[in-house]
Amino acid sequence: EEEQEAGKQFKIKMVDSQYYLPNDIGISALDCSEAFRLLSPQEKMYAHYLSRASWYGGLAVLLQTSPESANIFVLLQRIFRKQTPAQLEQVATAAGLSSEEYQAFLVYAAGLYANMGNYKSFGDTKFIPNLPKDKLKALVWASQAFQEQPAEMEALWDSCSCLLYSLENRQKQLGLGDKGITTYFSGNCCLEDAELAQKFLDSKKLSAYNTRLFKKEDGGKTCYEVRLASAVQKDCAVDGECESCCGSFSFEDKEFTVKRGDYSPIMEKVCYYLEKAQAYAANENQRKMLEEYTRSFTLGSIEAHKEGSRYWIKDKGPIVESYIGFIESYRDPFGSRGEFEGFVAVVNKAMSERFAKLVSSAEVLLPELPWPQEFEKDTFLKPDFTSLDVLTFAGSGIPAGINIPNYDDIRQTEGFKNVSLGNVLAVAYATQKEKLTFLEEGDKDLFIKWKGPSFEVQVGLHELLGHGSGKLFVQDDKGKFNFDQSKVINPETGEPVSSWYRGSETWDSKFSTIASSYEECRAECVGLYLCLNKQVLSIFGHEGQDADDVVYINWLSMVRAGLLGLEFYTPDSKSWRQAHMQARFVILRVLLEAGEGLVGLEEVTGEDGKPDARITLDRSKIPTVGKNAIHRFLCKLQVFKSTADVEGGRAVYDNYSTVSDTGAHNFLRLRETVLLRKEARKMFVQANTRISGDSVELVEYEGSAAGLIRSFTERFQDDAEQLESSLLELSKQDAPCWC
């Protein structure tokens, strides 16, 4: 009986701890001092103004994440602008907080800044402070900010304290309708509304990337407002526009209004700094690119952003690289609205050379992929592939590699760029041996030695030949095909190809909710498949036994990541919260299904007497059983993608994504084990730049919660009060829409 009771308590605690950031969470400073030092004065100014534009734009993510995020951000900024974390500590002690509780508050604040909101950017679950609410309230009341402005601070606390701690089912994760929280849609929207809005946007040839959708019932009639992010708040055409895309339209018996001005004061700041950066651009492409971005954020035009992206692609191998806008659609539950991000980074020469070699071997490597040649792009568009050290990455989180732009029409015809973020990789994958879960003792040293190098190979192949490969079969508005439909045979059916993309249909609009994860899965498979190639390994400097070890650890990392991915699955709603992790779980399933002892996965009892798991990989079978399994699966993925076969693709992908307790492995029980033994994702502290006289200096902070907090309070010190009141105003305007 007692045993059971303890088990129950243990279970409750376990579920709860998922919603806290642990006090010992890894926080590392992102080092780019060397890269920055090597820039010319002009490049430093350019990087500075682009960083400012990125940081201000990144604040839009607060408003894109949850109804309460912006208010919590302002609450924290007001507290820490008056007292640094070190100064506030005495106040906390006097207010009755233990040192653990104060540390938990700092970790929460750091987490809110690092994720630009109170939901994890990786996994989309909510996190709350790991200290009692009355203790946090006591600290707020004792702070200098409260002493100076008690009425304002109390109102601010009242506006967000309830949601700050709430863990009602719907609030535990991001999602649409009753599945979760989203601020891309008003609270009364569900999947049908999202689908209808997508059809409407398609009919108007409008992109969803910079939009949000608000549904209003007016006298029994449903009216939708599509709101574009822009500095301009007028809906009529303004200077430089022949006509505005705004207005009211009737569509399928519903009323749609397209309006401007979402995040207006924030977009204004972005434009202000982009214009400043123009003066320091290195060339005409950069200048025109910034001009178009400015037009995009001023008018709310994705066409202008596309135009800017075209110039950006033409700006090959710049010393200071950047991209900014509503880019990744992972966090829109429907998968088509972009989250704001902006980054500024500096080329890392040595690593870039290895990637350049990979680019120049692309023509030889692409035919190695498992699909027929008709399914490959007519000509491989050599992308720019560079390794960069990040100076600034504003938004909800920092990836290890990026492949952009996400506009399919541009990617298919004009190309794209690939970026590997070297200083992020260096920090993110440094693991201590005792934190290496689920591996056999004998694999751990090898894993630690080769994880970094193998990940570099995987990122290169994934971004470049993964996302860069494969053709979409399209029939344009004029009826013209980009393939010979009388000749091209579908290798899966042996019949001629019978489906394709029509007119304005894109990969994202067609495959919607599975598009992101499916495409990540395809790219990961390309990495696994091509890392077996000796030429690829030797480009990265791996020969002989070392090369074999890199392959082994790359494949072992992938199957382990598939198991770790279970953390990002929500059983209640049967949904995945993270595209890459779902993709890796799918690959684990495919490799388990291949059988013949390739992958072993068993539940065991750990040394601590609690449930554990062991994952093993037979390295001798990777080039045979493993390669064949990925060959077959990858070909399937590409064929469904090329032929716009949503039904076929969804059936296969959903099947492998299913997490159940029946079958050879009890994945639901394994998920509990993974949660029990998970390590929190690291957070990064980034430097600030500031102008001092006529030069730019880099201001660095220590890799700790306090360092991360200080970096944010100092980041917006020039116009803090005005900025904070704008954020509160924006938050308040839409507050009625979320209920």
Side-chain angles (χ1 to χ4, degrees):
E1 187 55 39
E2 232 175 274
E3 186 94 31
Q4 236 183 336
E5 201 44 53
K8 260 201 213 132
Q9 277 186 331
F10 172 63
K11 210 160 153 67
I12 292 168
K13 188 69 194 131
M14 194 171 107
V15 173
D16 280 352
S17 73
Q18 185 186 350
Y19 302 103
Y20 298 130
L21 301 176
N23 273 10
D24 63 352
I25 192 167
I27 301 180
S28 306
L30 210 48
D31 179 27
C32 67
S33 51
E34 187 54 15
F36 187 77
R37 197 177 58 79
L38 297 172
L39 295 178
S40 71
Q42 178 184 343
E43 288 160 351
K44 284 180 180 171
M45 288 300 258
Y46 181 68
H48 167 73
Y49 285 121
L50 284 178
S51 291
R52 301 308 292 153
S54 299
W55 284 123
Y56 278 96
L59 296 171
V61 176
L62 293 163
L63 300 158
Q64 290 184 296
T65 300
S66 74
E68 64 276 12
S69 288
N71 294 36
I72 302 172
F73 174 86
V74 173
L75 179 74
L76 295 171
Q77 287 287 77
R78 290 197 170 157
I79 291 171
F80 289 118
R81 272 197 298 121
K82 294 290 180 193
Q83 290 165 298
T84 64
Q87 293 166 331
L88 193 64
E89 189 162 11
Q90 287 118 355
V91 178
T93 309
L97 279 73
S98 68
S99 64
E100 281 76 27
E101 286 167 336
Y102 182 63
Q103 178 60 18
F105 168 61
L106 295 184
V107 164
Y108 176 78
L112 187 110
Y113 289 134
N115 292 281
M116 262 299 110
N118 59 341
Y119 286 76
K120 294 179 192 173
S121 66
F122 201 87
D124 293 342
T125 43
K126 185 169 185 173
F127 57 94
I128 64 171
N130 193 7
L131 72 159
K133 189 170 175 178
D134 56 342
K135 291 283 181 86
L136 179 52
K137 183 174 179 176
L139 175 59
V140 173
W141 259 243
S143 69
Q144 191 183 328
F146 192 95
Q147 307 298 310
E148 291 178 15
Q149 294 186 304
E152 286 94 327
M153 287 294 282
E154 183 162 0
L156 190 48
W157 169 264
D158 290 343
S159 74
C160 63
S161 59
C162 204
L163 286 171
L164 207 140
Y165 273 95
S166 162
L167 281 178
E168 279 171 39
N169 276 339
R170 187 179 160 206
Q171 283 156 2
K172 286 179 178 172
Q173 67 284 312
L174 298 178
L176 189 53
D178 53 8
K179 285 228 162 70
I181 294 296
T182 178
T183 47
Y184 287 108
F185 297 88
S186 55
N188 54 0
C189 286
C190 60
L191 188 60
E192 288 74 36
D193 299 300
E195 283 165 346
L196 181 68
Q198 188 61 53
K199 279 194 211 155
F200 165 73
L201 289 166
D202 288 346
S203 78
K204 286 268 163 249
K205 291 199 162 35
L206 273 175
S207 164
Y209 273 122
N210 62 344
T211 68
R212 294 198 290 171
L213 185 70
F214 297 88
K215 176 165 115 176
K216 303 200 166 74
E217 304 291 343
D218 200 9
K221 194 170 156 66
T222 303
C223 179
Y224 294 94
E225 177 190 323
V226 172
R227 200 186 299 162
L228 309 175
S230 68
V232 167
Q233 294 180 6
K234 292 197 194 78
D235 293 330
C236 56
V238 291
D239 45 323
E241 278 187 300
C242 16
E243 56 171 345
S244 150
C245 58
C246 301
S248 288
F249 311 91
S250 185
F251 183 79
E252 297 196 4
D253 297 332
K254 303 276 195 288
E255 182 77 20
F256 274 86
T257 311
V258 179
K259 296 180 85 90
R260 283 201 274 224
D262 214 1
Y263 328 118
S264 168
I266 293 176
M267 293 298 106
E268 226 169 274
K269 297 294 286 190
V270 174
C271 295
Y272 170 80
Y273 285 114
L274 289 178
E275 282 171 2
K276 290 253 195 218
Q278 264 188 57
Y280 299 96
N283 55 49
E284 200 51 18
N285 279 327
Q286 280 183 5
R287 220 176 47 70
K288 287 211 164 85
M289 156 189 105
L290 294 176
E291 221 164 75
E292 292 296 339
Y293 289 164
T294 305
R295 194 162 71 93
S296 171
F297 304 137
T298 303
L299 305 175
S301 158
I302 289 292
E303 277 313 310
H305 196 271
K306 280 184 159 179
E307 209 39 52
S309 299
R310 290 189 172 99
Y311 287 117
W312 177 72
I313 293 166
K314 288 182 191 137
D315 184 28
K316 297 268 186 237
I319 305 293
V320 177
E321 185 57 285
S322 68
Y323 198 55
I324 188 168
F326 296 90
I327 313 300
E328 299 296 350
S329 54
Y330 300 119
R331 296 183 99 188
D332 165 14
F334 186 67
S336 64
R337 287 157 190 76
E339 184 173 61
F340 195 95
E341 68 178 48
F343 77 83
V344 184
V346 181
V347 171
N348 173 322
K349 299 248 171 38
M351 225 188 222
S352 296
E353 273 165 24
R354 298 199 279 280
F355 290 138
K357 278 197 191 135
L358 192 58
V359 175
S360 48
S361 317
E363 274 93 347
V364 196
L365 295 170
L366 282 170
E368 299 278 309
L369 290 170
W371 46 84
Q373 156 199 347
E374 296 82 15
F375 285 73
E376 194 40 75
K377 290 194 177 78
D378 307 331
T379 48
F380 178 69
L381 296 158
K382 278 203 171 168
D384 222 21
F385 197 7
T386 33
S387 177
L388 304 174
D389 285 336
V390 172
L391 167 66
T392 293
F393 206 117
S396 66
I398 312 185
I402 321 172
N403 170 291
I404 30 186
N406 286 332
Y407 306 118
D408 272 321
D409 42 351
I410 296 185
R411 298 166 67 86
Q412 290 277 323
T413 53
E414 300 171 55
F416 49 87
K417 284 186 188 178
N418 282 283
V419 184
S420 169
L421 304 174
N423 58 347
V424 176
L425 281 177
V427 175
Y429 294 98
T431 313
Q432 301 127 320
K433 196 167 173 180
E434 49 279 10
K435 287 188 174 171
L436 264 187
T437 47
F438 311 128
L439 294 176
E440 297 215 288
E441 223 28 63
D443 281 332
K444 290 185 179 174
D445 288 328
L446 208 58
F447 193 93
I448 285 170
K449 180 176 180 187
W450 293 111
K451 175 68 179 132
S454 76
F455 197 69
E456 187 191 348
V457 174
Q458 181 67 13
V459 167
L461 292 170
H462 171 116
E463 299 295 352
L464 178 72
L465 300 168
H467 293 314
S469 64
K471 176 173 179 167
L472 301 185
F473 295 146
V474 181
Q475 180 182 17
D476 65 19
D477 288 333
K478 299 186 178 67
K480 196 165 146 319
F481 288 90
N482 70 347
F483 68 105
D484 184 341
Q485 83 273 30
S486 66
K487 285 210 183 98
V488 179
I489 299 293
N490 177 329
E492 294 295 312
T493 60
E495 307 283 319
V497 164
S498 58
S499 57
W500 47 82
Y501 297 85
R502 291 159 199 268
S504 63
E505 288 180 337
T506 64
W507 160 248
D508 274 334
S509 72
K510 197 84 178 143
F511 280 70
S512 72
T513 53
I514 63 165
S516 284
S517 183
Y518 186 111
E519 176 57 18
E520 292 309 327
C521 189
R522 198 182 66 88
E524 290 286 42
C525 286
V526 169
L528 286 182
Y529 192 76
L530 288 178
C531 78
L532 298 168
N533 183 299
K534 295 280 178 257
Q535 187 187 346
V536 167
L537 292 160
S538 101
I539 286 171
F540 285 91
H542 309 304
E543 309 283 350
Q545 181 59 46
D546 285 357
D548 289 346
D549 287 346
V550 166
V551 169
Y552 175 56
I553 295 307
N554 196 34
W555 280 61
L556 183 61
S557 293
M558 186 62 73
V559 290
R560 176 174 180 260
L563 178 62
L564 295 175
L566 286 166
E567 178 194 335
F568 301 94
Y569 175 77
T570 306
D572 301 345
S573 58
K574 294 192 165 47
S575 63
W576 283 92
R577 306 185 311 275
Q578 216 293 321
H580 299 78
M581 294 317 258
Q582 178 181 354
R584 290 159 191 162
F585 176 75
V586 165
I587 292 171
L588 169 63
R589 291 281 312 272
V590 169
L591 294 175
L592 281 166
E593 186 187 84
E596 296 186 50
L598 172 69
V599 177
L601 172 58
E602 52 169 355
E603 299 186 56
V604 296
T605 301
E607 285 175 6
D608 55 8
K610 291 175 189 163
D612 204 345
R614 274 299 153 271
I615 195 150
T616 53
L617 177 67
D618 181 339
R619 62 191 294 169
S620 69
K621 295 193 171 137
I622 294 172
T624 51
V625 184
K627 186 177 182 180
N628 290 340
I630 295 294
H631 183 287
R632 287 193 303 273
F633 182 58
L634 187 48
C635 189
K636 262 200 189 86
L637 290 180
Q638 183 57 48
V639 171
F640 292 137
K641 182 180 180 186
S642 292
T643 59
D645 182 355
V646 184
E647 288 68 38
R650 201 177 269 282
V652 167
Y653 204 69
D654 285 350
N655 175 40
Y656 283 117
S657 301
T658 305
V659 177
S660 80
D661 51 7
T662 56
H665 298 94
N666 184 334
F667 285 115
L668 281 171
R669 196 166 58 212
L670 278 162
R671 175 179 169 274
E672 301 276 323
T673 306
V674 168
L675 283 175
L676 172 69
R677 300 188 178 275
K678 78 186 176 82
E679 188 192 351
R681 212 172 158 77
K682 285 198 178 81
M683 297 196 282
F684 296 108
V685 181
Q686 300 182 59
N688 283 320
T689 51
R690 65 163 173 236
I691 294 182
S692 140
D694 51 8
S695 65
V696 181
E697 57 182 9
L698 191 68
V699 186
E700 295 181 283
Y701 303 88
E702 64 168 39
S704 65
L708 207 159
I709 291 165
R710 286 198 64 172
S711 72
F712 269 89
T713 38
E714 293 181 14
R715 197 153 277 152
F716 303 106
Q717 54 193 7
D718 316 340
D719 57 351
E721 306 212 342
Q722 181 204 338
L723 179 68
E724 288 161 15
S725 69
S726 297
L727 280 170
L728 293 177
E729 187 49 44
L730 287 169
S731 172
K732 193 169 135 197
Q733 279 164 14
D734 294 326
C737 303
W738 314 127
C739 326

